[in-house]
Amino acid sequence: MFKRFKMKRKILITGGAGFIGSHVVRLFVNKYPDYLIVNLDKLTYAGNLENLKDVEDKPNYVFIKGDIKDEQLVRNIFEKYDIDGVIHLAAESHVDRSIQNPMEFIYTNVIGTVTLLNAARDYWKDNYQGKVFYQISTDEVYGSLENDDEFFTEQTPYDPRSPYSASKASADHFVRAYHNTYKLPVLISNCSNNYGPNQFPEKLIPLSINNILNFKPIPIYGTGENVRDWLYVEDHAKAIDLIFHKGKIGETYNIGGNNPWRNIDLIKTLCRIMDEELGREPGTSEKLITFVKDREGHDKRYAIDASKIKRELGWEPETDFQTGLRKTVRWYLNNQDWLKNIISGDYLNYYERQYKNRF
Ligand code: NAD
Ligand code: DAU
């Protein structure tokens, strides 16, 4: 009905006010002035329109506050904006919250995804030509690795071990099932840990930056030997752009930083950078490291084999970790109001309950 949008593409990005979503929205709005970008976000504790201040007035950008589980709203958006592509990022994304309250993860990550799939299928069903439903997933669906020489490939069987990863795995299965059953044109990518500006400060790196800044303990779960593969968020956004445009329908692509770090080593590096940036005595921040009770079911190691996306689409991470980490630290130091504004309300309550009583 909304064919009056004479744009080349009309893309629905879900979760565009969150950490990764805001970088994807910015990239698409600026790089493709002839695309209409519709951002549907519920603005949960993790969504923040401050992340998108620089694009909010662009003529090719529309923001809609709403829930991906709201079937009528989602169907209306497809109709109204004649959506021909979906990049689906909206999710409950924090493992620790999923351990506390799994239901919310099932509602948003599973039912929300299926609500979007149904709307896409119904709106596109007469013509799948040029349409794509792109599911943004995680390496956590593959489970946990034991050894340093092991990597997740696209063939690694799913073995989710937390309520979060189980909900993402379930959503991925529905996406594949809709491709197999209804021929819905889908793409999936599974990415490793992202870091960079605008990440909500309950995740390891921004939480630690905030605590160091305020001389608070840095909580390291267990012995700090768990390994994560870190990727700068703008590199992820570029991979998403490439897969959306060049990915082969029905395929899965792993995205990773080729950059596995033990948590304790990463935090020591971060402490050193923070001391330098804040002009503190070397060693000041490291004294804040505090080992706390381990996360229940804590996955030991994630590491991505990203050779397929390199071979087939020519993507590689561009930002080396030292540069990316320093850029991230500087962003948080220059945007302390952003931090202060969001460490309030729901988050503070959660933070008080989950972290403060550990010390
Ligand atoms: P985030 O928690 O920062 O943002 C999630 C966004 O989704 C928020 O803006 C929130 O308001 C919105 N949202 C939540 N529930 C919603 C609902 N029911 N309806 C509409 N909007 C809703 O998450 P993130 O870290 O940016 O992750 C984005 C996506 O990428 C997720 O699907 C996540 O599983 C995936 N992913 C994240 C990482 C990572 O390291 N952060 C790595 C790989 C994959
Ligand atoms: O691998 C991709 C995933 O990365 C994404 O799918 C998730 O959405 C994202 O949240 C992230 O999950 P992690 O659980 O790996 O991220 P988090 O920042 O919570 O934790 C990173 C590591 O640091 C993990 O081993 C747990 C540990 N940790 C975390 C926090 C918050 C600590 O030791 N202390 C902490 O306070």
Side-chain angles (χ1 to χ4, degrees):
M1 158 202 155
F2 211 79
K3 308 280 194 270
R4 69 186 163 89
F5 273 107
K6 297 260 186 304
M7 311 297 268
K8 198 162 153 201
R9 300 290 310 256
K10 282 112 7 185
I11 302 170
L12 173 62
I13 299 184
T14 68
F19 166 47
I20 301 171
S22 60
H23 289 274
V24 176
V25 166
R26 177 175 302 102
L27 177 69
F28 273 69
V29 168
N30 289 329
K31 186 170 172 188
Y32 302 108
D34 51 351
Y35 288 11
L36 177 71
I37 304 302
V38 179
N39 173 12
L40 171 62
D41 196 299
K42 187 179 170 185
L43 299 182
T44 66
Y45 77 95
N48 185 351
L49 287 180
E50 268 191 60
N51 295 348
L52 290 166
K53 274 253 164 285
D54 53 324
V55 298
E56 67 187 10
D57 294 328
K58 299 266 175 159
N60 63 334
Y61 174 67
V62 175
F63 173 72
I64 298 167
K65 181 176 186 313
D67 194 321
I68 55 167
K69 300 189 296 297
D70 183 339
E71 186 181 330
Q72 202 48 57
L73 172 70
V74 171
R75 286 179 188 280
N76 288 347
I77 292 172
F78 271 81
E79 279 282 333
K80 179 171 178 188
Y81 297 102
D82 189 28
I83 296 298
D84 57 34
V86 176
I87 305 178
H88 175 37
L89 297 113
E92 288 292 335
S93 71
H94 189 40
V95 173
D96 292 327
R97 284 182 189 253
S98 83
I99 294 167
Q100 298 301 318
N101 180 15
M103 286 312 283
E104 207 46 49
F105 286 69
I106 297 162
Y107 294 139
T108 289
N109 298 1
V110 185
I111 297 174
T113 302
V114 179
T115 306
L116 290 164
L117 286 167
N118 284 337
R121 178 182 165 230
D122 288 347
Y123 188 64
W124 296 341
K125 75 171 155 230
D126 295 330
N127 180 13
Y128 283 158
Q129 190 63 35
K131 312 292 196 300
V132 62
F133 186 105
Y134 179 8
Q135 158 82 348
I136 306 302
S137 192
T138 168
D139 60 358
E140 301 203 10
V141 297
Y142 295 125
S144 179
L145 299 168
E146 280 303 311
N147 304 311
D148 285 354
D149 59 352
E150 292 176 311
F151 295 87
F152 298 131
T153 73
E154 289 81 0
Q155 277 71 48
T156 303
Y158 274 27
D159 181 23
R161 294 154 45 92
S162 74
Y164 163 68
S165 54
S167 69
K168 291 294 290 186
S170 173
D172 294 1
H173 286 321
F174 272 101
V175 172
R176 289 199 179 91
Y178 273 55
H179 179 61
N180 182 63
T181 309
Y182 309 115
K183 309 293 172 240
L184 192 78
V186 307
L187 290 163
I188 300 181
S189 58
N190 298 86
C191 189
S192 63
N193 285 63
N194 284 217
Y195 71 99
N198 305 100
Q199 187 168 31
F200 195 84
E202 64 187 351
K203 306 280 172 77
L204 179 66
I205 290 179
L207 174 89
S208 304
I209 292 173
N210 187 46
N211 285 14
I212 292 169
L213 192 56
N214 295 297
F215 290 102
K216 287 188 189 160
I218 309 166
I220 302 287
Y221 298 164
T223 55
E225 280 161 277
N226 304 69
V227 173
R228 297 292 182 266
D229 176 0
W230 294 94
L231 176 68
Y232 192 63
V233 62
E234 288 179 4
D235 286 341
H236 187 191
K238 286 179 191 165
I240 289 173
D241 178 17
L242 200 57
I243 292 169
F244 179 80
H245 288 97
K246 303 267 171 58
K248 196 165 156 229
I249 293 300
E251 291 282 313
T252 295
Y253 297 89
N254 279 356
I255 307 171
N258 198 18
N259 181 38
W261 282 72
R262 294 193 317 162
N263 292 337
I264 185 66
D265 299 332
L266 183 162
I267 291 303
K268 285 184 178 166
T269 303
L270 181 66
C271 286
R272 186 178 50 71
I273 294 175
M274 287 291 286
D275 285 345
E276 285 167 14
E277 293 294 323
L278 291 166
R280 291 181 183 166
E281 267 306 290
T284 308
S285 300
E286 252 195 63
K287 293 198 190 99
L288 298 168
I289 291 176
T290 309
F291 292 95
V292 299
K293 182 174 163 291
D294 208 355
R295 172 183 279 173
E296 290 91 337
H298 196 172
D299 287 340
K300 185 167 176 212
R301 177 171 190 268
Y302 304 147
I304 281 276
D305 174 346
S307 55
K308 177 178 172 182
I309 185 173
K310 180 177 178 190
R311 196 173 55 247
E312 296 188 6
L313 303 180
W315 178 90
E316 275 187 287
E318 290 171 22
T319 313
D320 79 80
F321 196 44
Q322 299 293 333
T323 309
L325 206 49
R326 198 173 286 272
K327 261 165 86 169
T328 304
V329 165
R330 287 190 181 158
W331 186 86
Y332 280 94
L333 296 184
N334 291 331
N335 289 275
Q336 292 186 37
D337 284 347
W338 183 93
L339 262 178
K340 280 188 197 118
N341 288 346
I342 57 175
I343 300 180
S344 61
D346 279 357
Y347 173 63
L348 188 60
N349 295 336
Y350 180 81
Y351 180 85
E352 302 279 7
R353 275 202 316 278
Q354 301 308 318
Y355 298 114
K356 283 217 167 145
N357 58 13
R358 287 190 175 162
F359 304 110

